[in-house]
Amino acid sequence: MKERLESIKNRYLELSEELMNPEIMSDFNKLKKLSKEQSDLKEIVDKYEVYLQCEKNISEAKELLNDEELKAIATEEITSNQEQLEKLTQELEILLIPKDENDGKNVIMEIRGAAGGDEANIFAGDLLRMYTYYAEKNGWKIEINHQIEGTSGGFSQVECTIKGENVYSKLKYESGAHRVQRVPETETQGRVHTSTATVLVMPEVDDVDIEIKESDLKIDVYHSSGAGGQSVNTSNSAVRITHLPTNTVVTCQNERSQLKNKDKAMKLLKAKLYDILTQEQDAKMGNVRKSKIGTGDRSEKIRTYNYPQNRVTDHRIGFSIMALDKVMDGYLEPIIEALITEDLKRKLETGNQ
């Protein structure tokens, strides 16, 4: 670990010198890139400096152990610094874990009603409401791109973009099958039913992340339907794009402008193709993928929302919270924090993969 820390410290010092170079200072893009790299290293370097000072304090205190008058003070100094050293070691191990390059990105979320018919669609709507409240609590902005409403409420499918600071770092753990256990409104005998909805969370990707050929696209325009206002339906503003090599289809209809709908649809397509590529890469890694949380596997049952017991259980980490009513109102912090903590723990155990 110390070798890596020394290397990072040296790189930090190199960057400090480079940033003082007049040529770099006059090149805005280079200056911005190097400043960000230095900023990303600063927390590690600052903590490492404290770590080195603790080591120095311990070394100096040990030299005083033979002095009877100072022995008690020296012993206390050694104990105090060793405790701080242990804490700093744990913190530095976490900081040295390679960061997910997508953590700072916006996300595109797709929610579908799955097993359970109308009740599954209603639950899909409940999940959208839950994520909307959670987004609002974090100061994020949520935009609906496309939806197919259920016949009894909710959605058989709804896609949205969530924009803000570090959105993907929090919501990347939400991909998978969400199960609900409750008495549906349509149930006349009061029996508890089990239904599921699936969630897919994808980072919004830039042009540099994935390349799409125009010749691989089939673009259709048509009349919008559903939410969006009457004026939406008076022109062919809705856009459907099919990526022919993978047969991936995306749709956007919620903007009044065909151009804006096409732009949003292309972002959604890039996110889906990037997700397919990531899944393929993870599959090649074999068992490494099994140690991850939030793999994006839509078939994996990740969480149960039990209404009779007011309980939410995340099956991946065995975490339960007896506050389903609050969770459905956007109180997701305890669950997500528990997932982040477990994810860090597993990465440390598997060599920071």
Side-chain angles (χ1 to χ4, degrees), residues 276-289:
I276 291 170
L277 182 65
T278 303
Q279 296 282 356
E280 289 174 351
Q281 290 173 343
D282 281 345
K284 288 177 182 177
M285 293 173 72
N287 291 332
V288 172
R289 187 171 182 269

Side-chain angles (χ1 to χ4, degrees), residues 7 24-25 57 84 115 132 172 183 189-190 202 221 227 239 249 273 303 323-324 327 329:
S7 177
I24 299 295
M25 293 176 73
N57 292 344
Q84 190 175 3
T132 300
K172 63 183 176 182
V183 180
Q189 298 180 30
M202 301 164 285
V221 294
V239 175
V249 182
L273 293 179
R303 196 175 295 153
L324 181 144
V327 169
D329 283 337

Side-chain angles (χ1 to χ4, degrees), residues 4-16 19 33-49 92 95-96 99:
R4 289 181 65 191
L5 289 167
E6 280 294 329
S7 177
I8 289 170
K9 180 183 175 182
N10 291 335
R11 177 56 184 158
Y12 183 85
L13 295 174
E14 286 175 10
L15 287 166
S16 297
L19 288 167
K33 181 181 178 182
L34 293 179
S35 295
K36 185 183 184 305
E37 184 183 351
Q38 189 187 51
S39 176
D40 290 342
L41 298 178
K42 189 176 187 305
E43 185 180 0
I44 296 175
V45 173
D46 287 348
K47 213 170 279 289
Y48 182 46
E49 291 289 354
L92 284 165
L95 286 173
L96 288 173
K99 291 183 179 178

Side-chain angles (χ1 to χ4, degrees), residues 87-202:
K87 183 185 176 187
L88 285 166
T89 301
Q90 292 174 353
E91 291 173 352
L92 284 165
E93 282 178 344
I94 291 171
L95 286 173
L96 288 173
I97 294 173
K99 291 183 179 178
D100 187 332
E101 62 182 15
N102 295 317
D103 275 352
K105 294 183 178 179
N106 300 327
V107 307
I108 292 172
M109 178 180 283
E110 179 184 279
I111 306 173
R112 293 175 181 259
D118 288 341
E119 169 66 1
N121 293 341
I122 292 169
F123 181 51
D126 293 338
L127 288 176
L128 176 64
R129 174 179 170 272
M130 177 185 77
Y131 290 124
T132 300
Y133 283 154
Y134 181 64
E136 289 173 356
K137 287 175 186 288
N138 284 279
W140 300 337
K141 184 180 179 183
I142 186 165
E143 300 172 356
I144 303 297
N145 301 325
H146 173 63
Q147 74 275 325
I148 302 173
E149 296 179 0
T151 54
S152 299
F155 303 94
S156 63
Q157 179 182 346
V158 60
E159 293 165 354
C160 62
T161 301
I162 305 176
K163 300 179 178 181
E165 187 176 349
N166 297 320
V167 181
Y168 187 74
S169 69
K170 299 288 184 71
L171 293 181
K172 63 183 176 182
Y173 304 103
E174 297 303 297
S175 289
H178 295 240
R179 182 175 69 173
V180 62
Q181 294 174 326
R182 65 185 178 189
V183 180
E185 294 178 10
T186 53
E187 170 59 49
T188 56
Q189 298 180 30
R191 293 176 298 184
V192 174
H193 287 229
T194 298
S195 305
T196 58
T198 59
V199 176
L200 180 61
V201 177
M202 301 164 285

